[in-house]
Amino acid sequence: MRYTRITTIVLLWVFSLPSFAEGLNNSLNYNLYHLSASTEEEIDNDIMKVTLLASHQAQQTLEANEVVNQQMASALKILKRTKEIHYKTGNYQTLPIYQNQQIVAWKSSQQIELKST
């Protein structure tokens, strides 16, 4: 039951937060998600920790930051309704993307850590 609850939250978050990555050369980009879970036996005192990352790359820092902030706000809205999952945000970064020693884009990202029994 608990695994189902956290898996549901993770899936809701993943599929409700589209990443709007734009290629610098207008090539097709696809959102990539890798989610896996496994269990061998249930343990009463078991704690599950999940780290999720929201990221976006854009030519302007403002756009990259706004998309990441919207993604995190959406995730936090879902998490505030759950009492069984403890969460905290962290590791917010905005980094330049270089091409030929010049900044051509910016990539923003932020992590959110989930913990539940």
Side-chain angles (χ1 to χ4, degrees), residues 28-85:
L28 292 176
N29 289 299
Y30 297 98
N31 299 328
L32 300 176
Y33 300 105
H34 177 81
L35 180 63
S36 64
S38 64
T39 181
E40 292 183 18
E41 63 183 81
E42 193 169 323
I43 301 172
D44 290 336
N45 293 331
D46 200 13
I47 296 176
M48 179 182 223
K49 293 181 183 179
V50 176
T51 302
L52 302 173
L53 177 73
S55 67
H56 183 72
Q57 181 175 319
Q59 291 183 346
Q60 301 295 322
T61 57
L62 181 61
E63 179 188 345
N65 290 335
E66 283 179 351
V67 171
V68 169
N69 289 338
Q70 288 172 356
Q71 292 174 339
M72 294 308 286
S74 177
L76 292 172
K77 184 178 177 181
I78 293 169
L79 287 168
K80 286 179 182 177
R81 294 185 292 216
T82 63
K83 296 182 183 191
E84 299 87 12
I85 300 174

